[in-house]
Amino acid sequence: MRRVLFLVAAVLAVIGSGSAVRGRDVTYDGRSLIIDGQRKIVFSGSIHYPRSTPEMWPSLIAKAKEGGLDAIETYVFWNVHEPQPGHYDFSGGHDIVRFIKEVQAQGLYACLRIGPFIQSEWSYGGLPFWLHDIPGIVFRSDNEPFKVYMQNFTAKVVSMMQSENLYASQGGPIILSQIENEYGTVQKAYGQEGLAYVQWAAQMAEGLQTGVPWVMCKQNNAPGHVTFVGPNSPNKPSIWTENWTTHYQVYGEDAPLRSAEDIAFHVTLFIAAKKGSFVNYYMYHGGTNFGRSASAFVTTSYYDQAPLDEYGLTTQPKWGHLKELHAAIKLCSTPLLSGVQVNLYLGPQQQVYQIFCEISLAECHTNPINQMAYIFNAVSGECAAFLINNDSSNAASVPFRNASYDLPPMSISILPDCKNVSTQYTTRTMGRGEVLDAADVWQEFTEAIPNFDSTSTRSETLLEQMNTTKDSSDYLWYTFRFQHESSDTQAILDVSSLGHALHAFVNGQAVGELYFTYAKETRSVQGSRKNPRFKFETSVSLSIGINNVSLLSVMVGMPDSGAFLENRAAGLRTVMIRDKQDNNDFTNYSWGYQIGLQGETLQIYTEQGSSQVQWKKFSNAGNPLTWYKVDAPPGDVPVALNLASMGKGEAWVNGQSIGRYWPSYRTPNGSAQTWYHVPRSFLKPAGNLLVLQEEEGGNPLQVSLDTVSISQVCGHVTASHLAPVSSWIEHNQRYKNPAKVSGRRPKVLLACPSKSKISRISFASYGTPLGNCRNSFAVGTCHSQNSKAVVQEACLGKMKCSIPVSDRQFGGDPCPAKAKSLMVVAECQ
């Protein structure tokens, strides 16, 4: 079923005016970007440099290029680069210049979304928290303090790119820059201050003289007007910067997935019906939210179902499906960009978008794509026709130019046929690695529970958490003490919080009833991304005399969006203790505060910091707020830390945080992120230090360091399939008249990842196999006995292979008069 909400995710507005705004090498008009004098259809993909590592960048960019992309898009992460005012960090994984140069080295364009507000499910939307403390500041408005710091950082980034000659106007790869991000979603809240801010931001950006167009995202009143459906300026192209390839995952919520077919449908619809010429996939590689970079309640793994998964492996069929789509559309780029569009209505839910050439002859190309077909037919003056069936349930037979065409449900077809493409499916396997199940290899350090007397920060009321911690930690201890004289020692502790989670201790003992978060028991309590507020109410036992109450308020990421972000609040709001005689309100009372955990302050996750505390032998007590450390094994392939047995916390490898973990907070269907990416560059040949900071009391003896690989590939092709686009391109280059060349037969194409080969054929059937690559499969009523032998001969021991789908290939027709297909499942090793 088509999901139209993805179509409106984000569209760019080009800033400027005139029929062809020129930036030396990059111009544009109402149809497309014009690069070096040529109109371009550009396919771009988002790869965020801080969500991977420099060692991963070359491979990620190479796979994006192989997948048919022309450009790499990235945000610029302000809070990463300017952690304190005027102090910049562009080193290591933050080296954006190195990243852009790698894009250039591989022959791709770059799109730089400076923002510097970015949202992106990133902590504080990319804004550094120190902005919050600037007197009189109002974020993202016509506010002088904010504009000064925003302009300083924007100019800093632009200057860096210019000094390295990275803009297209200097011969570099950057063809577009973006200022602000999705401001149209919040502008109304700012009134006239918002309108003035938009005008200022555009003028400021254009004044930096980059020589390439600046764009705004989701900004209907952007200076120079906006371009998309029915653009209010005919001189601006339609650009789609966030075509979501899946959806980010939130703790405790099921994430919607998106099929390759749905993505391809909307890309084609955008290009054919909306005159789109630039499509960016958000994300092409999502990566990992290392450290505390994820925004509120967003998981450490980011867009793992993108065309390239968190580990940089191809996600099939998505990667291959889109590769075929890009090739097909590129074959028709000339008529698409220079033709005249005529719309014909074929029925209530069928349309034809027909492109006529301004030249007299065009070549004919065919590309079949899974449930959709793209066929480019060349008749004198006619280049391509897109047939669209918007019915989500029923196929349709429609007449067009004296012929009838069968259109599958929710499909776009390009004449003359509606046939499918074979796209390889892959299975990612987490190979069980070394299980760290020996108690004597683990050591533990348990946090001391602070009380009022041990704190130095004091207040006569409850403090707001973010303003107190300054984003230096997820944790803030709220402590108080009171005198209890009643002989009745049973009471109710009642706490209300703005989020995100809470651990409560009375006289040093954890309190709270055990409860279940979708099949995992815990004493902590938490809110959710949609509603971070919660109430905590539990029975407690008091002592006669002085009682110490220690409440650990936990944030699971900073907010990342919404108007007036600087006014957002978190932490405790009210605290009461009720007994039979009285209700004691401690909201406005003498409170003591401790920012962060002791282990954080001492950095015991590093070699040097680890030596500053007394580690004890593992006790298996399952105490909350306990740190665990172990020497982890090395690795030379993608690896993942299996933390299914743990509760909630953060993990470090050799002093580098691989992110927050929270497998105890399960979704309604019972799932949670259990594997956490350990980049190979984080590991040493020997002596690796793994440290877990556990809040709830998990079991580290079941933790394992697992390998990540593509273990299985599958292809399923019917005899009615047409050959992949690549075969048409190859024959076009080899023969003057490809229409007269035979041999372009349907094929099953299989390919294992690099450094692995096809080691076993676990299933092969030519005939009428049952099932599909997504689910189960079996031999059907028609089956060639030669199936497995033929495939083994063609594929075993090879990294990739192809098997034609024909009776001749399998020694004859196993079932005359029946439509046949070939399904193959192979193991990679």
Side-chain angles (χ1 to χ4, degrees):
M1 182 176 181
R2 188 183 66 178
R3 298 173 219 152
V4 295
L5 60 92
F6 283 97
L7 185 58
V8 297
V11 180
L12 290 178
V14 181
I15 300 171
S17 59
S19 59
V21 180
R22 182 167 295 277
R24 286 184 60 188
D25 299 311
V26 183
T27 63
Y28 64 84
D29 61 13
R31 185 62 190 92
S32 70
L33 292 175
I34 302 171
I35 303 174
D36 294 331
Q38 294 185 333
R39 296 186 183 278
K40 296 285 185 178
I41 291 179
V42 177
F43 291 107
S44 171
S46 294
I47 299 176
H48 294 162
Y49 55 97
R51 284 177 161 139
S52 55
T53 65
E55 292 77 11
M56 295 173 66
W57 295 344
S59 174
L60 294 174
I61 295 167
K63 290 177 181 177
K65 182 177 182 179
E66 185 183 355
L69 295 194
D70 308 289
I72 300 299
E73 178 259 37
T74 185
Y75 283 121
V76 180
F77 297 75
W78 188 359
N79 53 11
V80 160
H81 296 303
E82 194 177 4
Q84 295 299 325
H87 297 275
Y88 298 101
D89 180 6
F90 291 94
S91 63
H94 304 162
D95 191 346
I96 187 174
V97 168
R98 176 179 171 183
F99 179 79
I100 298 297
K101 285 185 174 181
E102 182 62 38
V103 173
Q104 181 181 30
Q106 299 207 33
L108 297 179
Y109 301 125
C111 304
L112 199 62
R113 301 176 73 181
I114 296 177
F117 171 82
I118 60 172
Q119 187 170 331
S120 188
E121 295 72 57
W122 190 265
S123 178
Y124 221 44
L127 300 180
F129 191 79
W130 53 259
L131 282 173
H132 175 276
D133 296 332
I134 302 299
I137 199 165
V138 180
F139 297 170
R140 306 175 71 199
S141 69
D142 191 25
N143 172 269
E144 288 305 318
F146 180 75
K147 292 192 297 184
V148 166
Y149 286 103
M150 174 179 167
Q151 182 169 358
N152 287 346
F153 180 72
T154 303
K156 171 75 173 179
V157 173
V158 169
S159 176
M160 288 178 60
M161 299 299 129
Q162 290 174 328
S163 67
E164 298 290 337
N165 296 320
L166 291 177
Y167 282 103
S169 57
Q170 304 171 295
I174 302 173
I175 59 172
L176 288 176
S177 291
Q178 178 180 315
I179 195 70
E180 249 295 336
N181 189 45
E182 301 185 15
Y183 191 69
T185 62
V186 298
Q187 181 177 331
K188 186 176 180 180
Y190 294 95
Q192 289 301 311
E193 299 292 307
L195 179 61
Y197 168 68
V198 169
Q199 299 286 337
W200 169 84
Q203 293 171 6
M204 180 270 290
E206 289 187 309
L208 296 174
Q209 301 296 314
T210 63
V212 301
W214 283 88
V215 295
M216 280 186 169
C217 175
K218 274 190 175 180
Q219 194 59 49
N220 292 336
N221 64 343
H225 308 296
V226 75
T227 176
F228 184 43
V229 184
N232 51 18
S233 170
N235 303 316
K236 310 297 161 65
S238 294
I239 296 174
W240 188 3
T241 187
E242 289 192 16
N243 181 9
W244 299 349
T245 56
T246 179
H247 199 274
Y248 61 87
Q249 179 74 54
V250 172
Y251 290 115
E253 296 180 16
D254 293 321
L257 300 178
R258 194 176 182 201
S259 69
E261 294 88 349
D262 187 64
I263 299 169
F265 179 95
H266 285 96
V267 169
T268 309
L269 186 65
F270 177 67
I271 289 172
K274 310 299 181 184
K275 293 186 177 180
S277 60
F278 180 105
V279 176
N280 180 70
Y281 297 105
Y282 190 97
M283 298 289 295
Y284 199 79
H285 167 260
T288 306
N289 289 315
F290 297 113
R292 299 170 47 250
S293 62
S295 64
F297 288 95
V298 173
T299 62
T300 297
S301 178
Y302 190 65
Y303 278 80
D304 186 40
Q305 295 298 313
L308 299 178
D309 71 10
E310 181 180 7
Y311 305 90
L313 303 174
T314 56
T315 301
Q316 298 283 24
K318 196 169 288 183
W319 183 86
H321 194 110
L322 295 178
K323 176 181 180 178
E324 287 286 289
L325 172 66
H326 303 151
I329 291 179
K330 286 297 182 67
L331 289 173
C332 205
S333 59
T334 298
L336 283 170
L337 293 173
S338 60
V340 177
Q341 179 175 315
V342 177
N343 298 346
L344 302 176
Y345 294 90
L346 304 177
Q349 291 182 307
Q350 293 83 43
Q351 291 177 286
V352 170
Y353 292 91
Q354 185 176 356
I355 311 299
F356 290 93
C357 288
E358 294 177 344
I359 56 177
S360 61
L361 185 64
E363 296 176 335
C364 174
H365 301 286
T366 306
N367 174 38
I369 303 277
N370 248 0
Q371 306 275 310
M372 301 151 57
Y374 300 87
I375 301 182
F376 303 89
N377 191 20
V379 184
S380 180
E382 181 184 346
C383 286
F386 298 78
L387 276 63
I388 301 176
N389 180 11
N390 281 315
D391 193 319
S392 61
S393 303
N394 303 306
S397 181
V398 298
F400 179 71
R401 293 208 163 195
N402 302 317
S404 180
Y405 298 93
D406 295 324
L407 308 183
M410 293 308 300
S411 69
I412 301 180
S413 301
I414 302 174
L415 296 180
D417 287 307
C418 297
K419 297 180 180 180
N420 296 327
V421 67
S422 166
T423 301
Q424 174 176 288
Y425 289 72
T426 56
T427 301
R428 186 177 72 187
T429 298
M430 299 299 192
R432 191 67 163 170
E434 182 170 345
V435 182
L436 307 175
D437 56 358
D440 59 350
V441 304
W442 286 95
Q443 293 178 284
E444 66 182 31
F445 169 77
T446 301
E447 285 278 331
I449 308 301
N451 57 37
F452 181 82
D453 290 335
S454 66
T455 60
S456 57
T457 301
R458 303 291 172 82
S459 174
E460 296 303 307
T461 189
L462 292 171
L463 298 179
E464 192 279 321
Q465 184 163 348
M466 288 185 286
N467 191 44
T468 305
T469 64
K470 309 299 183 186
D471 194 29
S472 62
S473 172
D474 287 347
Y475 303 100
L476 179 62
W477 284 101
Y478 292 74
T479 69
F480 71 98
R481 63 185 180 186
F482 71 101
Q483 186 82 16
H484 181 72
E485 301 294 351
S486 172
S487 59
D488 184 4
T489 59
Q490 296 303 304
I492 300 295
L493 174 63
D494 187 335
V495 181
S496 66
S497 175
L498 295 178
H500 298 149
L502 177 70
H503 303 277
F505 301 83
V506 175
N507 298 320
Q509 299 299 310
V511 298
E513 297 297 325
L514 285 175
Y515 77 100
F516 290 86
T517 54
Y518 297 111
K520 276 247 181 172
E521 64 179 22
T522 175
R523 287 184 186 271
S524 65
V525 66
Q526 71 278 318
S528 66
R529 182 173 173 87
K530 293 179 180 177
N531 183 20
R533 296 171 179 261
F534 63 87
K535 283 184 69 67
F536 176 74
E537 189 174 286
T538 187
S539 299
V540 297
S541 294
L542 302 176
S543 301
I544 297 176
I546 296 294
N547 287 265
N548 283 285
V549 178
S550 305
L551 304 173
L552 181 60
S553 180
V554 185
M555 291 193 68
V556 191
M558 301 284 283
D560 66 351
S561 59
F564 301 106
L565 191 63
E566 68 278 5
N567 295 333
R568 300 285 283 278
L572 307 190
R573 307 310 296 159
T574 64
V575 177
M576 299 182 68
I577 295 181
R578 307 192 306 268
D579 57 29
K580 291 181 179 179
Q581 297 180 351
D582 206 356
N583 290 334
N584 298 296
D585 189 347
F586 294 99
T587 302
N588 296 307
Y589 194 72
S590 293
W591 287 86
Y593 297 88
Q594 176 183 303
I595 297 172
L597 303 178
Q598 181 184 4
E600 285 184 298
T601 303
L602 298 176
Q603 297 185 345
I604 65 174
Y605 46 82
T606 65
E607 289 285 356
Q608 181 177 354
S610 177
S611 64
Q612 297 187 44
V613 298
Q614 186 66 45
W615 293 87
K616 297 181 179 179
K617 291 183 178 180
F618 176 70
S619 66
N620 202 25
N623 293 320
L625 302 180
T626 299
W627 297 73
Y628 300 100
K629 76 168 185 174
V630 68
D631 288 333
D636 57 0
V637 296
V639 291
L641 195 63
N642 186 342
L643 298 176
S645 63
M646 304 304 290
K648 179 183 183 299
E650 190 172 349
W652 289 263
V653 174
N654 294 324
Q656 300 189 74
S657 175
I658 63 172
R660 301 183 183 97
Y661 65 84
W662 201 356
S664 67
Y665 196 0
R666 296 183 178 264
T667 68
N669 71 14
S671 64
Q673 183 183 349
T674 56
W675 279 283
Y676 294 80
H677 182 205
V678 181
R680 286 183 295 178
S681 59
F682 285 16
L683 295 170
K684 300 184 295 185
N688 292 288
L689 176 64
L690 166 63
V691 176
L692 305 177
Q693 178 263 304
E694 172 59 39
E695 292 179 27
E696 297 176 352
N699 179 14
L701 298 187
Q702 296 179 28
V703 169
S704 63
L705 197 61
D706 299 340
T707 59
V708 187
S709 62
I710 298 297
S711 62
Q712 188 180 86
V713 293
C714 176
H716 187 196
V717 175
T718 67
S720 62
H721 278 82
L722 298 179
V725 175
S726 58
S727 72
W728 286 84
I729 297 173
E730 180 182 345
H731 279 83
N732 247 7
Q733 294 171 344
R734 189 177 301 175
Y735 301 101
K736 186 175 181 179
N737 188 355
K740 294 184 179 180
V741 178
S742 61
R744 293 190 299 269
R745 299 189 181 95
K747 298 176 182 179
V748 166
L749 304 176
L750 300 176
C752 290
S754 61
K755 299 182 181 180
S756 65
K757 296 180 179 179
I758 297 172
S759 59
R760 177 172 171 265
I761 304 300
S762 55
F763 179 84
S765 178
Y766 176 64
T768 58
L770 304 175
N772 55 58
C773 287
R774 286 191 178 98
N775 301 304
S776 59
F777 40 80
V779 171
T781 56
C782 171
H783 169 70
S784 170
Q785 298 301 319
N786 297 326
S787 299
K788 199 164 190 176
V790 170
V791 174
Q792 286 175 334
E793 184 177 354
C795 298
L796 284 180
K798 300 177 181 178
M799 192 178 80
K800 60 178 65 177
C801 64
S802 65
I803 310 100
V805 182
S806 68
D807 294 339
R808 180 179 178 182
Q809 183 73 20
F810 291 90
D813 190 342
C815 44
K818 281 192 175 183
K820 289 169 285 296
S821 66
L822 172 62
M823 182 185 290
V824 179
V825 180
E827 310 296 328
C828 297
Q829 192 172 2

